[in-house]
Amino acid sequence: MVRLLRWGTNIATGYRRDRKHVAGQTSRYDMTERKWLIRFVFLETVAGVPGIVAGMLRHLHSLRRMKRDNGWIETLLEEAYNERMHLLTFLKMAEPGFFMKFLILGAQGVFFNGMFISYLISPRTCHRFVGYLEEEAVCTYTKAIADIDAGKLPEWEKLEAPELAIRYWNMPEGHRTMKDLLLYIRADEAKHREVNHTLGNLNQRTDPNPFVSSYIDPSKPHPSKDIKHIRPTGWERDDVI
């Protein structure tokens, strides 16, 4: 399923990750600054869906049962908000055309309803799926950063991040370039990957959210909101419960 989504996104954004760059030659598959931004916008409009769907359904479930949710809702809504901030940041730099907006509308409609039904059936599978989806996002931003380092995106070499991003990530002086921005966003996506793989390892009804829990010995590695002890494949249930 993740490969299918990646294929569709590649078609929509004109992206071919396996195409070798030949110096002095251009083609319609070369990733320019504009193409990267359009790809980022498309990805973030999809990436912001799972967190809000999962958070909404767990919120309603908590209301129906008249019981607490063990801290899951907060983290899921934070993820959705963070992905939306990624989108708003890129929209400060590029406005997609009518055709891309039409694709985004269709993709969001299909993905939202698919995620809604799937989460009702198997939340664990959905979190695992989102973890793999976030891995694709990490790979995409890694490739864009590599293109900057290789000098393939000259307009971004000294471009400063939008003021919105500087305030949101509290980017320090001297570290506010486009590359710095992508590093921040890649770190966010890596954290979402860890969170969803971890949630996928837990009992969906009874286990507390380990990312907002208190630990008897905080000096030992444990899940947290930062990236100090990040685990790409998530934390096993035995490690946190």
Side-chain angles (χ1 to χ4, degrees):
M1 185 61 179
V2 173
R3 291 181 178 179
L4 178 62
L5 287 175
R6 180 178 63 190
W7 176 81
T9 302
N10 290 349
I11 294 297
T13 59
Y15 175 69
R16 284 193 178 181
R17 188 169 60 181
D18 60 347
R19 187 176 179 85
K20 296 182 179 180
H21 178 79
V22 179
Q25 296 184 11
T26 60
S27 77
R28 65 191 182 98
Y29 296 113
D30 290 338
M31 293 300 289
T32 63
E33 291 87 351
R34 171 72 180 178
K35 285 184 177 181
W36 273 120
L37 286 173
I38 295 302
R39 180 174 177 82
F40 295 158
V41 167
F42 188 85
L43 288 175
E44 297 301 344
T45 59
V46 173
V49 171
I52 198 68
V53 171
M56 175 187 69
L57 289 175
R58 294 191 70 92
H59 172 74
L60 295 175
H61 186 253
S62 177
L63 295 178
R64 289 195 305 273
R65 298 176 67 238
M66 291 178 283
K67 292 184 178 180
R68 299 184 64 179
D69 185 63
N70 294 322
W72 287 50
I73 296 173
E74 175 188 353
T75 295
L76 293 169
L77 296 184
E78 283 179 350
E79 177 183 313
Y81 180 81
N82 178 253
E83 298 286 12
R84 189 176 69 90
M85 290 304 297
H86 294 175
L87 173 63
L88 295 179
T89 296
F90 291 130
L91 288 176
K92 290 289 185 180
M93 307 172 68
E95 180 72 19
F98 175 80
F99 180 67
M100 179 55 65
K101 290 181 179 179
F102 178 76
L103 289 179
I104 289 171
L105 179 64
Q108 188 179 87
V110 172
F111 192 57
F112 177 89
N113 288 285
M115 181 60 65
F116 181 87
I117 295 172
S118 299
Y119 204 87
L120 288 173
I121 298 172
S122 178
R124 184 191 300 271
T125 301
C126 289
H127 286 298
R128 186 70 65 202
F129 169 74
V130 175
Y132 291 129
L133 199 64
E134 297 292 356
E135 174 66 26
E136 291 297 323
V138 171
C139 291
T140 290
Y141 289 113
T142 298
K143 175 62 177 176
I145 292 169
D147 278 2
I148 294 176
D149 290 337
K152 297 178 182 179
L153 305 172
E155 295 179 15
W156 284 0
E157 290 182 0
K158 296 183 179 180
L159 179 65
E160 186 171 281
E163 183 62 28
L164 174 70
I166 294 174
R167 294 197 307 269
Y168 179 69
W169 281 282
N170 195 25
M171 301 171 71
E173 288 281 355
H175 296 280
R176 296 177 175 178
T177 66
M178 186 62 183
K179 178 181 176 180
D180 294 317
L181 172 62
L182 295 185
L183 289 171
Y184 276 99
I185 293 177
R186 184 178 66 174
D188 288 344
E189 304 293 5
K191 190 64 183 180
H192 299 328
R193 173 185 60 189
E194 177 198 34
V195 168
N196 279 280
H197 279 313
T198 300
L199 296 182
N201 292 333
L202 304 181
N203 185 306
Q204 305 295 299
R205 286 184 173 271
T206 61
D207 287 344
N209 177 5
F211 292 94
V212 296
S213 300
S214 299
Y215 293 86
I216 297 176
D217 186 359
S219 64
K220 292 183 178 180
H222 61 273
S224 64
K225 291 188 177 183
D226 57 34
I227 58 174
K228 184 177 181 180
H229 302 298
I230 193 168
R231 291 190 180 182
T233 57
W235 296 77
E236 295 297 330
R237 186 174 187 273
D238 292 340
D239 295 332
V240 297
I241 302 299

